[in-house]
């Protein structure tokens, strides 16, 4: 093993039986999941679901009541040079108000034993170079998020963890961040992003981990989770011969229900298959529309009744 | 070592240190004037004819010895200087919580006692800078003051240099106390106010309490007064052994005790605390 290069497997985030009890409140409850490298993983849950607490336990900032969280088999504190392995963006406003952005990063470089020149590189990476010598108190929320990401990239880490990074970013900023994270994942890094903005996650994440009330609700590739929960994608079809089409589709193994407006809703078949079946049966079609399940619907469905204020 | 350099960079890249430095200068000037005035007044009193008790007369006689006048003057600025250094030590810690940078700091170095150790070292170095500046100023100005009081400069007396050296130790130890206190009281404002008030009011309050105890309860209470940290640091820098007071090293021991307890307690607490 090369020095400073943790063994294989340490790029995988492993959370096992993780529990945190705050007084009477069980903020995180026997939570287990894994996050794979080379993909963007969305960590989803309503506010108060225990996302931030989980991330803080993963990073050694909060002590778990039970269970463990780490990188491969190692906990954060056991990593040799943690900043070279894991970068984290936890709070947008985490810099001294009177310190400039560049100095904030220089302090981190110093502490991490990275050449101070790295500060300018990461500033450039996040597009903050023009504001490098301005004090932090003059930064907008979006600039603060960018500075946070720059700080996380100081050690050029293999694993990147971001807590609600889209907060305070304008649409342009969100798009920028999405592209950056996808690029970093394409380089083989592990990216874990917590968010309650589902539409954003649908655009960005390859995998999702959904939690509510401190418990795991579902984990897997976005498409699988969507498919499994909405009973697969649905196809909306309108025809003057509904009886014939229903017979043909049922024979082809699809499920058909009639909608109140007279159209048919087909499950278990994609639009191409529905069109082909209709063509083969000589049925005339007036409308054929594939309806993708929406992560937001699935999410609300999954977390219904579990997102109460605790 | 990286962490110490990072802590020093943190101090350098904010304005707190030079604001405190600017506050320090008039306070130092005031301290020199105060010590000059005191020496002038007590020097004009003849212990034999002042109607003082034998003990008090003896104390006054010793205090008026050239070497003791000199050590007091050459360490001018200690009382308020160590207060500022203690506050800076506390702020080095409370800043992290006030500005939410504790998260970043402990991500860079998850072994938290290393962070506190780095902060202790940085605070000590900062304390020594304050000591060095006041000492240089004293070395420039005090010979003139002593001359005005009809004493020689006394710089040939090793007791003067020992007092100056022990004064450095006092600055360093108070910096440690500050860092420890900053961990115990995490609120920036809370820590600053509590420490300032405890330092100033506490010093005079404790003197009063010990005076009353000594007068009305038992004489031996006066021996315990060295337990008051400010008394301990004043005792450390006296030129000769003062009659009626514990020896100098007791002051040093008491102050080291406070530094060790607060530093140790602070580190222990930071190790266990959840950072959120």
């Amino acid at each position: 093993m090369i020095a400073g290069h943790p063994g294989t497997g340490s790029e995988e985030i492993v959370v096992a039986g993780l529990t945190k009890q705050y007084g009477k409140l069980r903020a995180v409850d026997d939570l287990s999941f894994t996050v794979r490298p080379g993909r963007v993983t969305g960590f989803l849950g309503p506010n108060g679901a225990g996302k931030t607490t989980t991330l803080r336990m993963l990073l050694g900032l909060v002590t778990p009541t039970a269970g463990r969280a780490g990188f491969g088999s190692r906990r954060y504190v056991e990593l040799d040079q943690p900043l070279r392995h894991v970068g984290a963006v936890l709070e947008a406003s985490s810099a001294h108000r009177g310190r400039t952005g560049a100095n904030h990063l220089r302090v981190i470089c110093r502490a991490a034993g990275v050449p101070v020149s790295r500060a300018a590189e990461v500033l450039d990476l996040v597009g903050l170079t023009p504001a490098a010598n301005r004090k932090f108190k003059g930064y907008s929320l979006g600039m603060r998020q960018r500075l946070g990401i720059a700080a996380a990239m100081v050690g050029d880490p293999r694993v990147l963890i971001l807590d609600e990074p889209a907060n305070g970013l304008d649409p342009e900023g969100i798009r920028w961040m999405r592209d950056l994270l996808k690029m970093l994942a394409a380089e083989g890094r592990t990216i874990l992003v917590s968010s309650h903005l589902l539409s954003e996650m649908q655009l960005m994440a390859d995998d999702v981990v959904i939690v509510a009330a401190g418990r795991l609700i579902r984990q897997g590739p976005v498409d699988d989770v969507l498919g499994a929960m909405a009973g697969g994608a649905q196809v909306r079809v309108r025809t003057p011969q509904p009886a014939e089409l229903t017979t043909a589709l049922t024979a082809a193994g699809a499920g058909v229900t009639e909608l109140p407006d007279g159209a048919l809703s087909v499950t278990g078949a994609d639009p191409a298959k529905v069109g082909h079946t209709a063509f083969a049966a000589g049925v005339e079609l007036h409308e054929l529309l594939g309806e993708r399940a929406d992560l937001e619907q699935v999410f609300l469905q999954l977390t219904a009744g579990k997102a109460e204020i605790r | 070592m990286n962490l110490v350099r990072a802590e020093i960079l943190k101090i350098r890249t904010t304005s707190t240190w030079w604001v405190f430095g600017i506050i320090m200068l008039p306070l130092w000037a005031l301290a020199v004037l105060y010590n000059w005035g005191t020496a002038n007044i007590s020097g004009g009193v003849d212990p034999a004819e002042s109607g003082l008790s034998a003990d008090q007369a003896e104390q006054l006689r010793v205090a008026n010895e050239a070497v003791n006048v000199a050590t007091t003057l050459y360490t001018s600025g200690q009382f308020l200087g160590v207060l500022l250094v203690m506050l800076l030590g506390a702020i080095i810690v409370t800043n992290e919580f006030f500005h939410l940078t504790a998260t970043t700091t402990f991500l860079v170095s998850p072994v938290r006692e290393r962070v506190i150790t780095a902060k202790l070292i940085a605070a000590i170095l900062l304390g020594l800078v304050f000591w060095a500046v006041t000492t240089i100023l004293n070395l420039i100005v005090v010979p003139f003051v002593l001359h005005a009081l009809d004493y020689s400069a006394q710089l040939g007396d090793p007791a003067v240099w020992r007092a100056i050296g022990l004064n450095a130790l006092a600055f360093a130890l108070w910096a440690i106390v500050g860092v420890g206190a900053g961990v115990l009281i995490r609120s920036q404002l809370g820590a600053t106010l509590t420490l300032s008030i405890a330092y100033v009011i506490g010093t005079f309050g404790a003197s009063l309490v010990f005076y009353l105890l000594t007068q009305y309860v038992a004489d031996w209470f006066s021996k315990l007064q060295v337990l008051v940290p400010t008394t301990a640091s004043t005792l450390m820098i006296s030129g000769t052994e003062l009659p009626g007071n514990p020896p100098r090293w007791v002051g040093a021991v008491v102050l080291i005790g406070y530094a060790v307890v607060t530093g140790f307690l602070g580190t222990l607490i930071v190790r266990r605390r959840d950072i959120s």
Side-chain angles (χ1 to χ4, degrees):
Chain A
M1 210 189 303
I2 307 161
H5 240 270
T8 46
S10 65
E11 293 178 3
E12 192 171 72
I13 298 173
V14 181
V15 173
L18 197 63
T19 300
K20 180 67 183 184
Q21 188 89 30
Y22 284 117
K24 285 182 179 167
L25 175 71
R26 189 158 276 224
V28 177
D29 191 357
D30 196 22
L31 186 62
S32 302
F33 63 86
T34 53
V35 179
R36 284 183 291 154
R39 299 170 75 84
V40 176
T41 301
F43 189 30
L44 295 172
N47 288 328
K51 300 189 295 288
T52 299
T53 307
T54 302
L55 296 183
R56 285 184 170 272
M57 285 193 278
L58 178 59
L59 293 165
L61 295 167
V62 168
T63 316
T65 309
R68 53 177 292 128
F71 304 85
S73 58
R74 294 209 257 176
R75 291 184 301 137
Y76 188 78
V77 288
E78 292 163 356
L79 298 171
D80 274 346
Q81 289 174 301
L83 232 56
R84 287 176 189 267
H85 190 66
V86 181
V89 189
L90 291 185
E91 281 135 2
S93 53
S94 60
H96 190 292
R97 289 171 53 76
R99 199 174 282 141
T100 65
N103 278 334
H104 174 69
L105 294 172
R106 286 186 192 124
V107 166
I108 295 171
C109 291
R110 268 281 154 76
V114 173
V116 174
S117 57
R118 177 75 182 147
E121 289 171 32
V122 289
L123 274 170
D124 194 46
L125 176 75
V126 301
L128 264 185
T129 306
N133 293 317
R134 225 182 294 162
K135 286 188 177 172
F136 184 72
K137 60 186 163 198
Y139 279 23
S140 69
L141 204 49
M143 289 160 82
R144 290 176 184 200
Q145 288 288 21
R146 284 170 190 252
L147 185 65
I149 293 172
M153 292 305 293
V154 160
D156 194 20
R158 299 300 302 161
V159 180
L160 199 59
I161 294 169
L162 304 98
D163 194 10
E164 302 278 0
N167 277 1
L169 288 180
D170 54 16
E172 168 68 29
I174 290 184
R175 190 196 170 89
W176 163 80
M177 192 191 64
R178 184 200 307 151
D179 292 344
L180 176 70
L181 294 185
K182 282 185 161 179
M183 182 191 88
L184 294 172
E187 290 170 9
R189 298 177 213 250
T190 310
I191 316 281
L192 180 63
V193 193
S194 91
S195 181
H196 62 276
L197 295 175
L198 301 153
S199 45
E200 184 46 40
M201 275 301 124
Q202 197 161 8
L203 288 173
M204 181 162 49
D206 303 303
D207 294 334
V208 285
V209 172
I210 301 179
V211 292
R215 294 200 194 95
L216 180 69
I217 300 296
R218 195 149 306 243
Q219 166 179 23
V222 173
D223 291 336
D224 290 5
V225 170
L226 291 179
M229 285 320 294
Q234 301 180 12
V235 178
R236 180 185 159 86
V237 59
R238 190 184 284 277
T239 169
Q241 302 146 275
E244 285 89 335
L245 184 59
T246 302
T247 312
L249 283 170
T250 311
V256 184
T257 46
E258 188 167 342
L259 296 170
D261 62 353
L264 301 175
S265 174
V266 184
T267 53
D270 60 5
K273 188 173 177 192
V274 173
H276 179 78
T277 310
F279 180 73
V283 172
E284 181 181 345
L285 293 186
H286 289 173
E287 191 183 325
L288 178 63
L289 183 65
E291 287 181 336
R292 255 185 77 79
D294 176 46
L295 188 56
E296 188 153 336
Q297 282 172 13
V298 173
F299 178 75
L300 291 173
Q301 213 174 317
L302 285 172
T303 59
K306 292 172 186 140
E308 77 279 8
I309 303 293
R310 298 186 295 154
Chain B
M1 200 55 218
N2 283 335
L3 288 178
V4 176
R5 291 175 69 201
E7 288 301 329
I8 292 169
L9 186 61
K10 278 185 196 172
I11 295 169
R12 277 203 302 126
T13 50
T14 52
S15 43
T16 318
W17 72 271
W18 59 259
V19 170
F20 272 59
I22 289 173
I23 296 173
M24 184 68 226
L25 290 179
L27 292 180
W28 165 81
L30 213 64
V32 173
L33 289 176
Y34 175 84
N35 288 337
W36 184 356
T38 314
N40 216 355
I41 293 165
S42 59
V45 177
D46 183 349
E49 296 174 12
S50 55
L52 294 168
S53 70
D55 280 357
Q56 285 170 322
E58 174 63 9
Q59 284 188 11
L60 185 62
R61 191 193 61 73
V62 176
N64 278 346
E65 278 177 14
V67 58
N68 283 324
V69 172
T71 52
T72 305
L73 278 162
Y74 279 117
T75 53
S76 290
Q78 188 207 45
F79 182 74
L80 293 165
V82 296
L83 169 63
L84 291 181
V85 165
M86 172 172 66
L87 290 180
L88 274 170
I91 288 172
I92 286 173
V93 180
T94 55
N95 253 343
E96 300 270 0
F97 298 101
F98 185 71
H99 295 285
L100 302 175
T101 50
T103 296
T104 310
T105 302
F106 290 128
L107 283 179
V108 178
S109 174
V111 184
R112 297 186 191 165
E113 46 271 39
R114 282 195 206 143
V115 174
I116 297 299
T117 309
K119 283 187 186 297
L120 286 171
I121 294 171
I124 289 171
L125 291 175
L126 193 64
L128 291 179
V129 169
F130 273 71
W131 164 80
V133 171
T134 53
T135 299
I136 289 168
L137 290 171
N138 282 327
L139 287 174
I140 295 169
V141 172
V142 169
F144 296 103
V145 175
L146 285 172
H147 183 73
L149 289 167
D150 284 334
Y151 294 111
S152 67
Q154 305 292 329
L155 286 174
D157 193 329
V160 169
W161 293 103
R162 185 184 55 215
I164 290 174
L166 286 171
N167 193 27
L169 181 64
F171 272 82
L173 292 174
W174 279 97
I176 296 175
V177 171
V179 171
V183 177
L184 297 175
I185 313 169
R186 244 185 307 179
S187 147
Q188 182 105 292
L189 200 63
T192 319
L193 283 179
T194 310
L195 289 177
S196 313
I197 292 170
Y199 187 86
V200 178
I201 309 281
T203 300
F204 293 113
S207 303
L208 185 65
V209 168
F210 276 107
Y211 173 75
L212 293 175
L213 285 173
T214 310
Q215 287 291 306
Y216 297 104
V217 185
D219 263 357
W220 56 264
F221 272 108
S222 70
K223 299 261 190 289
L224 293 182
Q225 192 163 353
V226 70
L227 290 176
V228 180
T230 40
T231 312
S233 52
T234 317
L235 179 66
M236 261 168 69
I237 53 171
S238 60
T240 60
E241 303 284 348
L242 300 177
N245 277 303
R248 270 184 303 262
W249 62 264
V250 176
V253 167
V254 167
L255 214 51
I256 289 171
Y258 278 106
V260 167
V261 168
T262 46
F264 186 74
L265 214 60
T267 310
L268 211 67
I269 288 174
V270 165
R271 256 172 65 104
R272 307 179 62 100
R273 185 189 279 155
D274 284 350
I275 308 294
S276 47

